[in-house]
């Protein structure tokens, strides 16, 4: 272990910890006296930890699904329960939402640090490593909610697929689906990889690989879901019912179209149309990217995910955290990633200032502000999708071992150099 942790990685880790500390201060600075003057919207310090602490039985120690409602999948519900338990254990009767926020931030920081280590170990180039260590989305979302868990599973599955361990990647993606739904989009790409990528073997062997992959994904998901689904089916299914019943969020294309009177749709219409538009576009992405990426179809997961985010009826601000680390792994160029970040930060504050205006605050944003931010971010995402289809993947994916060996050589030189 000591041989791998060189000075460069320690510098990266230090910056990441500072970034996450900034995220803690960003979310916690307005919690000392409670949200009394709409500061959760005007300053952007809103965190789901506050409503969950009192409204989902976390403060009382109620077990999610069995004793309390929970609109997250099982692994995320378990994480919320564990973080709440840690806050109560350490702070006892004085535990409050701010302490819960602290443990949520610590857990998300640990996940972000684990990703940094995995990225570094796999040979991700320096610019991309620093882009994760100092990631603006970490400041905005390290204390926002629990999506970092699914992000970790999704990125981990991609790294396993890069090594050719498709069944392991499918199992990890299956666990990701047990934390949040979006990692499911990786599974069809892994299945196609098992059937058509790699060595040219007979169809029997290909079907066996694909079957093993499907069994790994379904088995991992079922392992954590079935006990809860059988014991508490109503609360277990709330996530899926909630996802289907909600109308949308202000920064989604569907809500923007409605706000300006361009295209009004009911919830069932949105569910159907969003699914059809997504499936059509995702099929096109795979078809257009097939020739270039046939040997590593998992590289198309970020553009497929970006298309899902653009067409879905819900685009919550923290969805940007889903995509950002995956773009660092696969985006051919970083300039459109930077543009995506700018649009995402703009959309974050525009949406919360819009909430502030609804509540009567002087600092307010309009639907036009949200639409402009969403347009910039959406344009960057379309650019990233186009880049993924027409440009070769980043060099570190093509020559990972050489890069890793170079890093290890530099490390040895650093260790043995005279002081």
């Amino acid at each position: 272990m000591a041989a791998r942790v060189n000075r460069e990685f320690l510098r990266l880790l230090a910056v990441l910890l500072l970034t996450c500390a900034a995220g803690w201060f960003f979310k916690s600075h307005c919690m000392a006296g409670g949200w009394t003057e709409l500061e959760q919207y005007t300053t952007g310090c809103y965190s789901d930890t506050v409503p969950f602490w009192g409204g989902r039985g976390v403060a009382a120690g109620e077990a999610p699904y069995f004793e309390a409602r929970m609109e997250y999948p099982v692994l995320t519900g378990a994480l919320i329960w564990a973080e709440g338990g840690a806050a109560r254990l350490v702070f006892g009767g004085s535990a409050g939402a701010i302490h819960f926020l602290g443990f949520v931030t610590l857990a998300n920081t640990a996940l972000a640090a684990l990703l940094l280590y995995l990225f570094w170990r796999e040979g991700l180039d320096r610019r991309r490593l620093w882009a994760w260590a100092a990631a603006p989305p970490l400041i905005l979302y390290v204390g926002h909610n629990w999506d970092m868990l699914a992000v970790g599973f999704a990125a981990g599955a991609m790294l396993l697929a890069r090594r050719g361990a498709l069944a392991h990647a499918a199992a990890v993606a299956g666990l990701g689906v047990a934390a949040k739904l979006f990692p499911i989009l990786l599974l069809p790409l892994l299945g196609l990889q098992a059937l058509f990528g790699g060595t040219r073997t007979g169809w029997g062997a290909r079907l066996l690989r694909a079957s093993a992959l499907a069994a790994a994904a379904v088995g991992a998901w079922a392992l954590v879901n079935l006990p809860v689904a059988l014991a508490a089916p109503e609360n277990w299914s709330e996530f899926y019912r909630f996802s289907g019943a909600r109308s949308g969020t202000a920064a989604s294309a569907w809500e923007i179209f409605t706000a300006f009177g361009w295209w009004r749709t009911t919830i069932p219409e949105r569910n159907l149309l969003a699914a059809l538009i997504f499936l059509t576009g995702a099929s096109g992405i795979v078809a257009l990217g097939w020739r270039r990426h046939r040997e590593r179809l998992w590289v198309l997961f970020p553009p497929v995910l970006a298309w899902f985010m653009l067409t879905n009826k819900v685009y919550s601000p923290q969805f940007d955290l889903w995509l950002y680390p995956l773009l660092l792994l696969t985006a051919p160029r970083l300039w459109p990633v930077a543009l995506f970040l700018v649009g995402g930060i703009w959309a974050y504050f525009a949406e919360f200032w819009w909430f502030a205006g609804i509540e009567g605050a002087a600092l307010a944003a309009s639907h036009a502000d949200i639409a402009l931010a969403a347009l910039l971010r959406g344009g960057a995402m379309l650019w990233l999708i186009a880049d993924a289809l027409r440009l070769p993947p980043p060099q570190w994916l093509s020559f990972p071992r050489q890069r890793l060996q170079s890093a290890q050589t530099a490390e040895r030189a650093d260790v043995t150099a005279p002081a």
Side-chain angles (χ1 to χ4, degrees):
M1 181 67 182
R4 291 190 176 186
V5 182
N6 63 6
R7 295 179 184 177
E8 175 77 4
F9 178 74
L10 291 177
R11 285 192 289 267
L12 286 162
L13 182 60
V15 170
L16 182 134
L17 294 177
L18 289 173
T19 301
C20 292
W24 154 254
F25 285 113
F26 175 59
K27 294 295 185 181
S28 66
H29 80 271
C30 65
M31 293 182 65
W35 294 342
T36 57
E37 298 181 357
L38 301 177
E39 56 266 50
Q40 73 272 32
Y41 299 142
T42 56
T43 70
C45 69
Y46 174 86
S47 170
D48 280 346
T49 58
V50 174
F52 268 70
W53 177 254
R56 292 295 182 270
V58 179
E62 297 176 355
Y65 313 107
F66 301 102
E67 298 175 311
R69 292 174 51 234
M70 180 60 63
E71 65 265 31
Y72 278 100
V74 169
L75 283 183
T76 299
L79 179 62
I80 293 170
W81 177 79
E83 291 164 344
R88 296 191 308 275
L89 179 66
V90 173
F91 295 98
S94 64
I98 192 168
H99 306 108
F100 181 41
L101 170 65
F103 281 98
V104 170
T105 304
L106 282 175
N108 285 337
T109 298
L111 289 167
L114 176 60
L115 281 186
L116 178 66
Y117 173 72
L118 293 176
F119 293 168
W120 175 78
R121 187 188 68 180
E122 292 297 312
L124 193 67
D125 66 68
R126 291 183 75 255
R127 287 190 309 158
R128 293 166 191 262
L129 288 171
W130 284 106
W132 178 241
L138 287 177
I139 297 175
L140 294 180
Y141 303 118
V142 74
H144 189 86
N145 75 348
W146 301 272
D147 285 6
M148 190 68 205
L149 179 61
V151 171
F153 281 122
M158 289 182 68
L159 293 176
L160 285 168
R162 171 178 167 271
R163 292 187 167 211
L166 296 185
H168 291 87
V172 171
L175 292 174
V177 178
K180 197 77 174 181
L181 197 57
F182 76 89
I184 200 172
L185 300 176
L186 176 59
L187 291 173
L189 297 170
L190 296 178
L192 290 171
Q193 186 79 55
L195 286 172
F196 300 105
T199 58
R200 301 296 182 263
T201 58
W203 275 103
R206 297 185 192 191
L207 291 172
L208 185 61
R209 283 200 305 267
S211 299
L213 186 151
V218 173
W221 180 88
L223 181 66
V224 296
N225 274 274
L226 277 184
V228 180
L230 293 174
E234 185 69 16
N235 283 344
W236 172 82
S237 63
E238 180 171 346
F239 166 72
Y240 304 98
R241 290 183 281 109
F242 173 72
S243 299
R246 65 189 304 189
S247 59
T249 52
S252 73
W254 300 96
E255 282 295 316
I256 292 171
F257 293 158
T258 297
F260 287 96
W262 297 337
W263 190 12
R264 300 183 185 277
T265 49
T266 64
I267 294 175
E269 288 172 340
R270 287 186 184 185
N271 290 339
L272 177 61
L273 291 170
L276 290 175
I277 295 170
F278 165 70
L279 289 173
T280 301
S283 300
I285 289 170
V286 174
L288 292 171
W290 185 271
R291 183 174 181 180
R292 181 178 291 279
H293 300 295
R294 180 173 176 173
E295 301 301 320
R296 46 184 173 221
L297 288 171
W298 58 270
V299 170
L300 296 176
F301 175 43
V304 168
L305 177 58
W307 181 246
F308 171 77
M309 292 161 61
L310 286 172
T311 57
N312 193 34
K313 65 180 180 178
V314 175
Y315 196 140
S316 296
Q318 70 273 9
F319 287 11
D320 289 351
L321 184 62
W322 299 0
L323 187 59
Y324 178 69
L326 309 185
L327 291 174
L328 294 181
L329 292 177
T330 63
R333 297 184 292 186
L334 292 182
W335 278 113
V337 178
L339 190 63
F340 167 73
L341 286 179
V342 172
I345 295 169
W346 183 7
Y348 178 90
F349 286 101
E351 192 163 354
F352 279 113
W353 291 342
W354 178 70
F355 285 132
I358 291 175
E359 298 294 331
L363 181 61
S366 66
H367 282 294
D369 297 315
I370 295 175
L372 288 173
L375 181 63
L376 177 62
R377 178 174 61 187
M381 293 165 75
L382 291 174
W383 184 2
L384 287 160
I385 291 171
D387 271 5
L389 298 178
R390 68 185 186 86
L391 298 177
Q395 193 176 29
W396 83 276
L397 289 179
S398 301
F399 305 102
R401 295 190 181 279
Q402 292 90 324
R403 286 183 173 272
L404 185 57
Q405 289 168 356
S406 297
Q408 291 171 339
T409 301
E411 173 193 338
R412 286 193 294 269
D414 186 33
V415 170
T416 58

